[in-house]
Amino acid sequence: MQMRPDQLLRQYQTMGLQGLVESASPHDLIRMLLDGCLERVAVARGQMAQNDFAGKGASISKAITIIEGLRTSLNKDVGGDVAQNLESLYDYMNRQLLIANATNDAQPLTEVEGLLAQIREAWVAIGPDVSKKAS
């Protein structure tokens, strides 16, 4: 059985991503999750504009899954109030994504993108040494 070129490309990309994940620091993994979530929200916006309701729903679902992964990765013992505030913010973003999906309104997507971009900017600014300082 011969694979189609698009299947080969997808397999190559998956293997490349797997290699990146395996060699990434915990700090880089969080940044990658934030980047992936931002990408999913942007894709959902495009799908919404094209009335691709199934695609929009799938992209929003992936974004929600990523945010839930970020939420469950919080260490409240070490992170204290910051972790608690992030947990509340992640919960809020997931609710906004559900609203965007149900109402086909792009405004909640814009809000979530802005919040994610701010979190990502702060995460990049603290640098990968943060995990060493916390231990």
Side-chain angles (χ1 to χ4, degrees):
M1 180 171 107
Q2 189 172 9
M3 294 181 95
R4 294 188 339 239
D6 61 322
Q7 291 172 319
L8 289 171
L9 177 61
R10 240 188 327 264
Q11 184 177 9
Y12 175 77
Q13 289 170 332
T14 300
M15 290 172 60
L17 181 60
Q18 182 179 353
L20 285 173
V21 168
E22 288 172 357
S23 65
S25 70
H27 185 267
D28 286 336
L29 289 173
I30 297 296
R31 183 192 43 76
M32 291 167 69
L33 287 170
L34 292 166
D35 288 344
C37 194
L38 281 163
E39 181 182 336
R40 291 291 98 212
V41 173
V43 168
R45 176 191 310 291
Q47 291 164 324
M48 186 180 285
Q50 296 172 358
N51 292 321
D52 177 3
F53 301 115
K56 173 199 69 174
S59 293
I60 288 175
S61 178
K62 287 178 185 176
I64 288 171
T65 299
I66 293 170
I67 291 172
E68 187 59 21
L70 289 165
R71 189 190 68 73
T72 59
S73 73
L74 294 170
N75 184 340
K76 294 180 200 158
D77 294 332
V78 175
D81 288 343
V82 172
Q84 187 62 48
N85 291 339
L86 278 171
E87 183 174 47
S88 296
L89 189 57
Y90 290 149
D91 181 58
Y92 174 77
M93 286 190 280
N94 276 342
R95 284 184 278 126
Q96 290 303 103
L97 290 171
L98 290 170
I99 290 168
N101 193 37
T103 63
N104 212 40
D105 181 3
Q107 190 284 324
L109 296 178
T110 301
E111 184 176 6
V112 169
E113 281 177 317
L115 294 169
L116 285 169
Q118 288 177 27
I119 293 169
R120 185 195 185 283
E121 183 180 325
W123 187 252
V124 169
I126 63 172
D129 291 335
V130 72
S131 59
K132 294 177 187 168
K133 292 175 188 170
S135 40

